[in-house]
Amino acid sequence: MAAFMAAAALLTSPAEAHAATAATAEPSCKPYSLPVRLSDTGEATQTMWGELCQPRDRRPTTVQLLVHGGYHTHTYWDFPVGNGYYSYVRAAVAAGYATFNVDVIGAGNSSHPQSGLVTGDAGAVALHDAITALRDGSLDGQAFTKVIWVGHALGSFYAWREIPRYGDVDGAILTSALSGYNLEHAATAVANTYPAIEDPKFANSGYDTGYKTTKPGTRGSMFFYPATADPAVLAKDEELKDVVPTAQTTPAAPPYGIRVPVLLVAGAQDWLFCQGVTVYDCNDSASVRAHESGSYLPEAKLQVAMVPETGHDVALATTAPLTDSIMLRWARSVAAP
């Protein structure tokens, strides 16, 4: 992984190259509303929204399932600031992959059932249905032969539940999801949320009180590191903030049963998983890997990349080009486009 980071750093201007590629490589994208279940024995009564993007000149054989974190939507992976600079979707499509960028159940354009129903297990079942649709061609009429899970925070925790249970992906890039955390910051994070209907943005949403959102002005300190925070991104992130059902925040069991290759990516200044955490040194990827490897089987071939001077939202930091490069280099080693 150090070699991946070094290679990315040796680019003449990784940030400018990334911005130019992302801006010019306009993907072909189409939205879908996919019927999904909340339990293995239940009916497909909910709808998961997602956008399938791919190169205009070819149909890839591998699709990356992009699963956002809590209090975000699919826009996390395709952020509308910087003309593609903060778009992992554009970077992945430019590298030849297809992406299916979803809103998890209880967020964005997807269904918002009673909050208590949207447990971690329920969300995992729904995401399994999405993967099944990608693999059997029922999403758009053409089947993908390989699927790579790309998660952020809550989207990575879903992978901890879904992948051991179904074994339906070929690899996983799990960002901002480590096992150590700052207890004081975790308590602050809880205090920084309130029922979404108390927020002007969601006052008329009809959500029950179990749907939570972040209080105004709290996201910057939790999700970003000042040295790599773009003021325009901070403002847009506050505007685009979303909700999380309370039941969804129940911690997932460690990912003991994952049997496919895994790359862990995190910001070395992650407010929750790095700052003040002593069980590993976030400035040393080997230290983090030594600690995290206890939760993964040998088949995971665990690799770890810590992005310097970067906070929790790795895709929205000014270091996003480096993060994208690391993720895509690893993806190519697991499944070619």
Side-chain angles (χ1 to χ4, degrees), residues 300-324:
K301 302 176 182 178
L302 185 66
Q303 295 192 41
V304 174
M306 303 302 295
V307 186
E309 300 292 300
T310 301
H312 185 69
D313 282 3
V314 292
L316 304 185
T318 56
T319 50
L322 175 59
T323 302
D324 292 352

Side-chain angles (χ1 to χ4, degrees), residues 51 105 113 210 276:
E51 185 175 53
I105 294 298

Side-chain angles (χ1 to χ4, degrees), residues 143-181:
F144 290 97
T145 58
K146 293 188 176 182
V147 180
I148 296 176
W149 185 302
V150 181
H152 172 249
L154 180 62
S156 297
F157 299 149
Y158 270 136
W160 290 5
R161 295 175 185 268
E162 198 276 349
I163 298 175
R165 184 170 176 174
Y166 298 105
D168 53 1
V169 299
D170 299 277
I173 301 172
L174 307 180
T175 73
S176 305
L178 304 178
S179 60
Y181 60 93

Side-chain angles (χ1 to χ4, degrees), residues 98-121:
T99 62
F100 188 47
N101 186 16
V102 302
D103 285 335
V104 299
I105 294 298
N109 298 319
S110 293
S111 296
H112 289 71
Q114 196 275 327
S115 62
L117 299 176
V118 193
T119 63
D121 285 336

Side-chain angles (χ1 to χ4, degrees), residues 53 62 68-69 75 81 118 130 148 154 171 183 218 233 264 271 282 289 293 316 331:
C53 294
T62 301
H68 62 83
T75 59
V81 170
V118 193
I148 296 176
L154 180 62
L183 287 171
T218 62
V233 170
L264 295 182
W271 180 77
C282 279
R289 184 185 182 281
S293 61
L316 304 185

